[in-house]
Amino acid sequence: MSRQQSRNTIARYQTARFVIVDVHRVLRDLLGEQLRRVGAERIRFVHRHDALWEALSEEPAPTFIIADWNAEDGPAGVDMIHRIRETDAIREASLILLADEVTPEMEALTEVYRVATLLEKPYTAKQVLLEVDRELRLRESPTEFELLLKRGWQLLEEGTFEKALLVYNWLRQLNPDSLAALYGAGEAMSGKGELDDARAVFEDLIARSPMFLQGVDRLTDIAEAQGDHERAIELIERAIQLAPGAADRQVKLARQKHKSGDPEAAENALRRALRESPELWEATLSLSE
């Protein structure tokens, strides 16, 4: 490596902020040492997943989040990824996830949730650092496909659904296997009010990526709008399995159970919501009714 390349590498790491949570102590120490050796200065270690959100709220926003998929002391797995991507301040962070085992269902999440990598045990600090370095380079020089994906999302946020759909359909032609392009097309169709077409797209999406919680939620919204209570209940129950602590989904389940003529199941769902989140006024109001 030339001196200029070395200076560029150090500069990349100096400007990045790392949040590393719940990894094995030996790996944590080695990883911290190697990150500092290549120039990283802002490294925040979090020992438990239930303290992760406090660390993520600190300024500046993290460039990297390195976490254990299999944690049992707070949000982990799909639930953790989904929360990160749904939180504006941190949704652009690069995710490196460490797992006991990487399944095809987990791999299918990497594009739709923009996970930089999933590393299966056993792994080393050097492997993690190689993935960090690769991701830093990609952040500096994204592919044309990634830039078009980002442009499509900007159009969605602006409410320009027709143009967004054109972008995503073009991307689907370029790469028929792209789940991110498929998801974007479904969002654009939904925004245009083409619910039948959007539903078909989201059904295909979650068949190909059954752990994609955001896709499950979007399909639930469409099923509810179309009055398909049976499918909505099935989807909400799947979402609750993927993210057990979300009280708002218990409230949605209660509504659908009530509409389908099962008031006892609706009441049970509301009580579960209140156990998860006692301050949830919506559940309290619904239960009193």
Side-chain angles (χ1 to χ4, degrees):
M1 182 183 294
S2 69
R3 287 185 179 180
Q4 183 60 46
Q5 288 175 319
S6 179
R7 283 195 292 269
N8 289 342
T9 298
I10 291 172
R12 288 192 198 101
Y13 281 91
Q14 283 178 332
T15 57
R17 177 177 177 242
F18 297 83
V19 174
I20 303 171
V21 56
D22 193 35
V23 298
H24 190 275
R25 180 178 177 180
V26 174
L27 175 67
R28 184 172 66 236
D29 292 345
L30 287 171
L31 184 56
E33 179 184 339
Q34 292 196 23
L35 283 170
R36 292 186 184 94
R37 189 178 298 166
V38 292
E41 297 175 349
R42 295 180 292 184
I43 306 170
R44 173 79 147 85
F45 293 106
V46 183
H47 300 293
R48 294 177 57 84
H49 270 65
D50 54 13
L52 174 62
W53 304 102
E54 179 183 350
L56 294 181
S57 67
E58 298 170 357
E59 294 291 342
T63 314
F64 282 89
I65 300 169
I66 302 173
D68 193 332
W69 172 283
N70 305 101
E72 297 179 356
D73 57 2
V78 176
D79 190 11
M80 174 181 64
I81 301 169
H82 182 76
R83 291 192 193 192
I84 290 169
R85 291 299 179 234
E86 289 283 283
T87 305
D88 288 343
I90 58 175
R91 69 180 183 180
E92 295 302 322
S94 294
L95 297 176
I96 292 179
L97 302 178
L98 315 174
D100 295 340
E101 178 185 12
V102 176
T103 67
E105 290 79 11
M106 292 163 63
E107 286 282 8
L109 292 174
T110 55
E111 187 193 18
V112 286
Y113 272 132
R114 305 189 315 281
V115 176
T117 192
L118 279 161
L119 284 178
E120 184 174 276
K121 296 177 181 178
Y123 41 73
T124 65
K126 184 177 181 180
Q127 283 178 286
V128 178
L129 193 62
L130 286 172
E131 294 297 336
V132 169
D133 192 65
R134 182 182 65 84
E135 182 65 12
L136 278 172
R137 293 174 187 276
L138 286 174
R139 289 173 73 99
E140 282 188 355
S141 304
T143 65
E144 183 178 354
F145 195 88
E146 289 167 336
L147 290 172
L148 283 170
L149 281 174
K150 188 171 184 178
R151 177 56 182 154
W153 193 256
Q154 289 171 343
L155 290 169
L156 286 176
E157 291 184 327
E158 293 168 5
T160 317
F161 302 118
E162 189 72 46
K163 289 183 179 179
L165 186 56
L166 289 173
V167 171
Y168 285 119
N169 282 341
W170 174 248
L171 290 171
R172 291 169 72 192
Q173 291 182 50
L174 291 174
N175 182 3
D177 295 326
S178 172
L179 296 182
L182 185 64
Y183 173 70
E187 288 280 20
M189 291 172 187
S190 180
K192 290 178 64 183
E194 299 172 356
L195 296 188
D196 288 339
D197 290 340
R199 180 167 180 168
V201 165
F202 285 127
E203 290 282 10
D204 182 25
L205 177 64
I206 66 169
R208 293 163 63 182
S209 184
M211 299 177 76
F212 182 33
L213 182 56
Q214 195 165 344
V216 173
D217 283 342
R218 295 297 186 268
L219 184 54
T220 302
D221 293 339
I222 293 174
E224 288 179 336
Q226 294 182 326
D228 189 348
H229 307 305
E230 184 176 340
R231 182 60 171 148
I233 288 170
E234 180 185 339
L235 290 163
I236 296 167
E237 288 175 341
R238 180 189 295 195
I240 290 170
Q241 288 180 343
L242 292 170
D248 59 328
R249 291 193 182 90
Q250 293 287 356
V251 176
K252 289 179 71 174
L253 180 61
R255 286 176 178 160
Q256 293 304 313
K257 289 286 188 180
H258 181 72
K259 289 176 182 178
S260 66
D262 192 348
E264 183 178 350
E267 182 177 339
N268 289 337
L270 288 171
R271 293 191 185 280
R272 286 193 296 271
L274 287 170
R275 283 198 297 271
E276 292 288 345
S277 185
E279 74 283 0
L280 196 64
W281 65 269
E282 191 175 11
T284 304
L285 181 61
S286 299
L287 189 60
S288 65
E289 291 175 349

